[in-house]
Amino acid sequence: PNPPVPHPRYKPPATETNPALEDPTPDYMNLLGMVFSMCGLMLKLKWCAWIAVYCSFISFANSRSSEDTKQMMSSFMLSISAVVMSYLQNPQPMSPPW
Amino acid sequence: MKNLYIFIVVLFIPWSFSLAKYDEFEDGDDIMEYDDNDFAEFEDVSEDTVTESPQRIITTEDDEEEATVELEGQDENQEDFDDADTQEGDAESEPYDDEEFEGYEEKPDASHSKNKDPITIVNVPAHLQNSWESYYMEILMVTGLLAYIMNYIIGKNKNNRLAHAWFNTHRELLESNFALVGDDGTNKEATSTGKLNQENEHIYNLWCSGRVCCEGMLIQLKFLKRQDLLNVLARMMRPASDQVQIKVTMNDEDMDTYVFAVGTRKALVRLQKEMQDLSEFCSDKPKSGAKYGLPDSLAILSEMGEVTEGMMDAKMIHFLTHYADKIDSVQFSDQFSGPKLMQEEGQLTKLPETKKTLLFTFNVPGSGNTSPKDMESLLPLMSMVIYSIDKAKKFRLNREGKQKADKNRARVEENFLKLTHVQRQEAAQSRREEKKRAEKERIMNEEDPEKQRRLEEAALRREQKKLEKKQMKMKQIKVKAM
């Protein structure tokens, strides 16, 4: 084991922001969540709104710490609003597709 | 509360509708006054219809007819008793006569019995039922969300614990070998933070530097996505393990020029396809390492045999055989530039930058169900890394090997240039055209006519010279050819 040299070198190389290597899951889920929540709002489909909530949760779980929280929060709020609006317009419980 | 309100509204509407028909009766008492025997049936019938209609939301036509029949009948009587206005002012003011109303006894009965059959009880809509059972799908969804959140918290904590366990085991070794352990790039001075840098809920980084011969070492703890429930479920189908990826960047003078890799066959096949340097320099398929005493699971990819010979010394073989199950791949390369970039044909005008690197990928034992104790078993692998750094520094190719290596690199560069020749020509062409255009614009913009003329002449002369040069070259080539 070599003794450590007294002149340490520089900082981490910006941890490779190589777009090809990055996991695209949080971005896809974000987009999907927004699409589903718009569907749920426009077409008044409850299951769309619920799936949107799930998508935004998944996107949050997979996100990188460097990512903007505003984006995450906005998609989350949109999906919650989609669910609430669907229920206000039509308080009937969701019917299963089968 | 809301449900109750809606229920009341729903009841009120048909009730008020039925009330409109019986407008003639200003009080409910009016109905009760007709307590004569002859009206006994009517009373019951009218009471029934009045009380039934709020509950039966659908009223049949027969019902309406019966109501109007009764109205007329009772209108006639009312005029004798009351001066209340009627909407149908057709009442005959005949004195009450038993015989006249005989027929009516049957009719209401008949129509009443007819009515009883077609009465349908409407299903009250589910949301008015005022029970939670009808919302079972919603409850299911919310339960699912709660389960996801629970899994997120549990998974995050587990990854955190694993990372810190790893770091605690390796801290001593790292600190004895590197002057700077842990840096997140935010401080101006290079001071050791002594902490892992959390990039994600499942990826932790550690930058170490300050050692002889290497620029620095980046350790990435790539754990499984335990915080994502979908991933957890997917892993139940397809088991995977946590990985520790170590990338050592070497100084230019400390490593000779060679490309070499060792690892599991599957990993090497994948790397050979993906990695730029391995695909260009190591053309053969991965060879079995049995010749050197390595277990069957490991294979070797190398630029030339001499490199393999040099790399596979006793200690390295010892490391590789003992920890074969934990090793995914080991790659030493002076032309390392990362995975092949998927670029369009037109954009590739320059070779990607290369760096002398040693790349190690280790699998954490446990195949997903790791506990913090498993991290201790990775410690000897870190010693292997340190040993490899020193080895890479010491290992030098002999003259033949060096010549071969240089030839290989020249070949690769040539191939690349040939491929991009067309693109580079086009790029040069477009650049020339742009220059011409810029010149022409300048000439046009010159207000002074004299200057314009002069510039034009200068441009013409330049073009003539170029043409002459080309002709000279062509002549020379022709002469040479002859």
Side-chain angles (χ1 to χ4, degrees):
Chain A
N2 286 338
V5 175
H7 43 237
R9 303 304 172 83
Y10 46 9
K11 317 298 167 84
T15 29
E16 297 141 77
T17 48
N18 188 351
L21 291 173
E22 276 176 9
D23 178 28
T25 308
D27 302 320
Y28 278 159
M29 281 295 148
N30 220 356
L31 184 66
L32 214 60
M34 285 204 257
V35 165
F36 271 117
S37 59
M38 292 313 286
C39 272
L41 274 172
M42 304 288 181
L43 306 175
K44 301 187 187 161
L45 299 170
K46 294 201 176 75
W47 55 269
C48 272
W50 280 109
I51 292 177
V53 175
Y54 270 99
C55 281
S56 93
F57 265 92
I58 294 173
S59 165
F60 170 71
N62 283 306
S63 67
R64 288 148 237 142
S65 62
S66 57
E67 232 176 79
D68 208 5
T69 48
K70 279 183 277 180
Q71 174 87 334
M72 215 62 61
M73 288 308 291
S74 78
S75 107
F76 184 65
M77 288 294 142
L78 187 63
S79 57
I80 295 277
S81 73
V83 169
V84 169
M85 290 306 292
S86 318
Y87 278 94
L88 281 179
Q89 287 165 355
N90 183 9
Q92 275 188 357
M94 198 161 61
S95 58
W98 51 85
Chain B
M1 191 59 203
K2 196 177 75 167
N3 290 346
L4 195 63
Y5 175 69
I6 294 172
F7 183 64
I8 291 171
V9 166
V10 166
L11 290 182
F12 183 72
I13 293 169
W15 185 58
S16 56
F17 182 68
S18 65
L19 267 187
K21 287 190 214 162
Y22 297 98
D23 231 6
E24 302 78 73
F25 302 114
E26 288 185 345
D27 312 286
D29 291 343
D30 280 344
I31 305 167
M32 299 305 282
E33 274 173 27
Y34 297 103
D35 208 358
D36 289 325
N37 288 336
D38 296 300
F39 283 109
E41 294 91 23
F42 298 138
E43 262 182 58
D44 291 341
V45 168
S46 67
E47 270 177 13
D48 281 339
T49 50
V50 166
T51 50
E52 272 172 10
S53 48
Q55 286 167 358
R56 311 285 186 219
I57 296 169
I58 294 178
T59 51
T60 58
E61 262 186 47
D62 291 342
D63 220 4
E64 281 176 356
E65 278 176 36
E66 184 204 341
T68 50
V69 161
E70 278 182 27
L71 273 174
E72 284 171 4
Q74 278 171 336
D75 270 344
E76 287 167 25
N77 293 317
Q78 211 182 0
E79 286 206 346
D80 295 335
F81 296 89
D82 225 357
D83 289 332
D85 288 338
T86 59
Q87 286 172 355
E88 311 138 8
D90 290 332
E92 295 167 331
S93 50
E94 280 179 358
Y96 162 62
D97 199 353
D98 266 344
E99 293 170 84
E100 278 190 44
F101 295 104
E102 276 175 24
Y104 282 108
E105 290 177 16
E106 294 159 358
K107 256 202 191 169
D109 277 336
S111 51
H112 186 65
S113 56
K114 252 195 271 168
N115 276 338
K116 275 209 165 130
D117 297 359
I119 283 176
T120 53
I121 297 173
V122 179
N123 281 330
V124 180
H127 69 281
L128 300 175
Q129 276 174 12
N130 211 8
S131 76
W132 290 111
E133 285 170 2
S134 52
Y135 285 94
Y136 70 95
M137 280 295 283
E138 279 77 11
I139 291 173
L140 220 70
M141 288 293 202
V142 172
T143 321
L145 273 179
L146 285 175
Y148 192 88
I149 293 172
M150 290 299 297
N151 174 264
Y152 174 78
I153 294 173
I154 293 173
K156 186 169 87 131
N157 285 336
K158 173 130 197 229
N159 277 349
N160 211 1
R161 267 183 297 134
L162 285 174
H164 283 93
W166 181 93
F167 189 51
N168 288 333
T169 0
H170 289 71
R171 184 195 286 264
E172 262 189 64
L173 182 61
L174 288 174
E175 283 183 349
S176 65
N177 274 297
F178 291 90
L180 170 70
V181 173
D183 193 359
D184 53 4
T186 50
N187 301 334
K188 281 203 192 139
E189 308 121 23
T191 46
S192 218
T193 58
K195 271 191 289 188
L196 290 168
N197 185 18
Q198 185 175 6
E199 189 184 305
N200 228 334
E201 301 298 345
H202 62 282
I203 296 183
Y204 291 80
N205 292 338
L206 185 71
W207 171 257
C208 307
S209 89
R211 193 182 199 273
V212 208
C213 53
C214 68
E215 263 184 26
M217 176 169 82
L218 179 67
I219 305 176
Q220 274 195 323
L221 301 175
K222 290 192 173 164
F223 293 126
L224 301 166
K225 287 191 187 178
R226 292 187 176 83
Q227 79 273 12
D228 181 15
L229 188 62
L230 286 183
N231 216 288
V232 169
L233 295 171
R235 251 190 306 125
M236 290 184 185
M237 316 286 169
R238 197 173 28 133
S241 52
D242 304 309
Q243 281 193 337
V244 177
Q245 209 174 62
I246 301 174
K247 184 168 155 187
V248 183
T249 13
M250 304 289 284
N251 290 331
D252 279 336
E253 62 273 10
D254 285 323
M255 184 169 155
D256 212 349
T257 53
Y258 50 89
V259 177
F260 171 75
V262 156
T264 56
R265 203 167 280 273
K266 218 169 55 161
L268 284 185
V269 165
R270 184 175 41 92
L271 284 175
Q272 197 173 24
K273 267 191 264 176
E274 281 179 11
M275 291 294 180
Q276 180 90 6
D277 49 353
L278 284 178
S279 60
E280 282 177 358
F281 291 95
C282 305
S283 44
D284 308 326
K285 277 194 273 198
K287 278 181 264 188
S288 159
K291 200 165 55 156
Y292 302 94
L294 292 175
D296 273 337
S297 57
L298 295 177
I300 300 178
L301 256 185
S302 162
E303 196 183 348
M304 46 191 143
E306 194 203 326
V307 176
T308 329
E309 294 283 334
M311 279 289 137
M312 291 288 125
D313 63 347
K315 199 150 184 212
M316 192 63 114
I317 294 177
H318 168 87
F319 272 125
L320 290 172
T321 38
H322 266 78
Y323 308 108
D325 57 334
K326 301 191 188 70
I327 293 176
D328 188 60
S329 73
V330 173
Q331 184 182 353
F332 302 162
S333 165
D334 74 310
Q335 299 278 316
F336 182 76
S337 59
K340 280 197 216 177
L341 298 165
M342 294 294 167
Q343 276 183 349
E344 293 166 10
E345 293 283 330
Q347 287 178 13
L348 208 67
T349 48
K350 253 199 302 183
L351 268 174
E353 273 185 39
T354 60
K355 207 108 180 65
K356 300 200 175 184
T357 351
L358 312 178
L359 195 61
F360 301 83
T361 313
F362 301 130
N363 292 330
V364 176
S367 175
N369 298 325
T370 43
S371 71
K373 275 184 278 174
D374 292 326
M375 294 305 173
E376 290 168 3
S377 54
L378 291 174
L379 196 58
L381 289 169
M382 189 53 78
S383 339
M384 177 175 119
V385 170
I386 309 275
Y387 174 75
S388 314
I389 298 177
D390 293 329
K391 176 138 183 88
K393 175 173 176 169
K394 280 184 254 162
F395 180 72
R396 293 279 178 251
L397 295 164
N398 62 13
R399 201 151 39 104
E400 275 180 31
K402 192 83 176 108
Q403 276 177 355
K404 261 200 253 175
D406 289 337
K407 246 198 286 178
N408 277 339
R409 276 148 192 73
R411 171 180 53 88
V412 167
E413 228 187 293
E414 234 188 273
N415 284 343
F416 178 78
L417 287 175
K418 272 195 212 161
L419 274 175
T420 60
H421 183 67
V422 177
Q423 278 95 40
R424 273 183 299 119
Q425 260 194 341
E426 280 176 14
Q429 182 93 2
S430 59
R431 255 180 282 138
R432 259 180 273 143
E433 276 177 18
E434 285 241 15
K435 267 194 205 167
K436 275 194 194 167
R437 240 181 289 145
E439 263 199 61
K440 279 195 186 153
E441 270 193 57
R442 249 187 299 139
I443 292 172
M444 298 300 274
N445 289 339
E446 277 297 332
E447 297 199 347
D448 200 358
E450 281 201 28
K451 270 194 181 173
Q452 243 191 22
R453 245 182 290 137
R454 254 184 281 154
L455 283 166
E456 276 188 36
E457 282 173 15
L460 269 169
R461 255 180 276 147
R462 257 177 269 149
E463 280 196 47
Q464 275 183 358
K465 275 192 192 168
K466 276 190 192 164
L467 276 167
E468 281 178 19
K469 271 192 189 168
K470 270 193 184 170
Q471 284 174 355
M472 289 291 289
K473 273 189 184 171
M474 292 302 287
K475 281 188 190 167
Q476 280 181 1
I477 290 170
K478 278 188 187 163
V479 165
K480 277 188 185 170
M482 285 201 293

